[in-house]
Amino acid sequence: MILVTGASGNLGKAVANELLNRVEASEIAVLSRDVNKVEDLKEKGMTVVQGDYDDYASLVAAFKGIDKLYFVSGSDIASRMKQHENVVNAAKEAGVGHVVYTSFQRATDKKDSIIGFVGESHITTEELLKASGLNYTILKHALYLEVLPLFLGENVIDNGAVYLPAQDGKVSFASRADMAEAGAIILTTDGHEGKVYEFGGDVSVGMAEVAEGLSKLSGKEIAYVSPEVEEYKATLAGFGVPQGAIDVIVGFSLGIAANEFDGSTTELKDLLGRELISLSTFLEATYSL
């Protein structure tokens, strides 16, 4: 039995649906805090279990009898480390056969790096898994192409500029859809125990290339502007963007500027056996007029 956590989220749901292309629905279980949010997966024949990363007992109960666990990292950055400890310890107590963890791709393993705000809990979780005695696979996911609308805004073409303090940094973006397919392959094939995969794009791009792609798509000149951080913060605050969201975008922008997310690799492409969803394809699907 394969259990996918975070099944009401974009990645977890995508992995669960990809698994249907490879195994019977009766071999798939999905976990969610609110089971009503995964009713569509239940209707497809998957087993739905309630579980909460903050509720250790619920995790132990959910993980009983599970052969392979697709462990989607938590989205609550402030609480994530304790939540991840709960997942790893519950998997060990329940006797899970193999844990596949969605970590993140980075240039450094220093927990106090410029991207430590997002990286520390991931790096510590990897350490916990390696020390747990569990069979594990670590998937170092690059930044998803799907985060670009968060960085760019929905009106980027109308505004005529990609406005982000990322300087000339580059990112090995890859799509969530490609990551989900790769996860399903790993969950349904052998030989992945103890391995760490770098799952990013096979080319790295900067915000200038993103602006160029939007220009080609729209037929309008889209500039790339990398403002000073304080100017950027003030601009977003002036548009009423919440401070928490500003801090997250600035944090990622500074990481991009420092090339912390620049890790082009063919591992994802090789596993899928096809070309990855490209930046241009993603932009067309997201911003086509």
Side-chain angles (χ1 to χ4, degrees), residues 13-23 177 180-182 184:
K13 184 157 292 191
V15 170
N17 281 314
E18 281 289 344
L19 285 170
L20 283 176
N21 296 324
R22 293 167 174 81
V23 297
E181 183 178 343

Side-chain angles (χ1 to χ4, degrees), residues 1-116:
M1 178 68 79
I2 300 169
L3 174 65
V4 178
T5 73
S8 63
N10 291 318
L11 178 62
K13 184 157 292 191
V15 170
N17 281 314
E18 281 289 344
L19 285 170
L20 283 176
N21 296 324
R22 293 167 174 81
V23 297
E24 297 297 323
S26 59
E27 300 176 53
I28 307 168
V30 294
L31 179 139
S32 179
R33 282 182 300 177
D34 183 352
V35 296
N36 293 319
K37 292 182 177 181
V38 291
E39 188 66 30
D40 56 325
L41 300 180
K42 183 178 180 180
E43 291 174 355
K44 293 178 180 180
M46 301 180 199
T47 299
V48 171
V49 292
Q50 195 282 330
D52 188 329
Y53 284 1
D54 289 312
D55 183 349
Y56 181 78
S58 75
L59 296 176
V60 174
F63 296 167
K64 290 288 187 182
I66 297 302
D67 301 301
K68 295 184 180 182
L69 173 67
Y70 189 82
F71 171 15
V72 177
S73 58
S75 59
D76 183 349
I77 294 176
S79 303
R80 183 157 63 190
M81 193 60 256
K82 178 57 181 175
Q83 293 176 339
H84 286 193
E85 288 178 2
N86 285 343
V87 174
V88 174
N89 290 333
K92 188 172 182 179
E93 181 175 338
V96 171
H98 183 189
V99 177
V100 178
Y101 172 59
T102 65
S103 190
F104 86 119
Q105 192 182 52
R106 68 271 182 180
T108 177
D109 282 336
K110 293 181 179 179
K111 296 178 183 179
D112 60 352
S113 75
I114 196 168
I115 54 171

Side-chain angles (χ1 to χ4, degrees), residues 181-199:
E181 183 178 343
I185 290 171
I186 285 174
L187 289 165
T188 55
T189 56
D190 298 326
H192 305 289
E193 292 85 349
K195 291 188 176 180
V196 178
Y197 289 95
E198 297 277 346
F199 277 174

Side-chain angles (χ1 to χ4, degrees), residues 198-265:
E198 297 277 346
F199 277 174
D202 55 344
V203 295
S204 294
V205 298
M207 291 303 120
E209 285 96 336
V210 173
E212 181 181 348
L214 289 169
S215 296
K216 290 179 179 178
L217 175 64
S218 65
K220 175 181 177 181
E221 183 63 30
I222 308 297
Y224 169 46
V225 179
S226 180
E228 294 297 323
V229 170
E230 293 308 314
E231 175 191 332
Y232 182 75
K233 289 180 178 179
T235 300
L236 264 60
F239 283 106
V241 178
Q243 188 60 49
I246 294 173
D247 291 342
V248 170
I249 297 172
V250 168
F252 276 106
S253 297
L254 293 175
I256 293 171
N259 285 311
E260 289 287 350
F261 303 111
D262 182 5
S264 57
T265 168

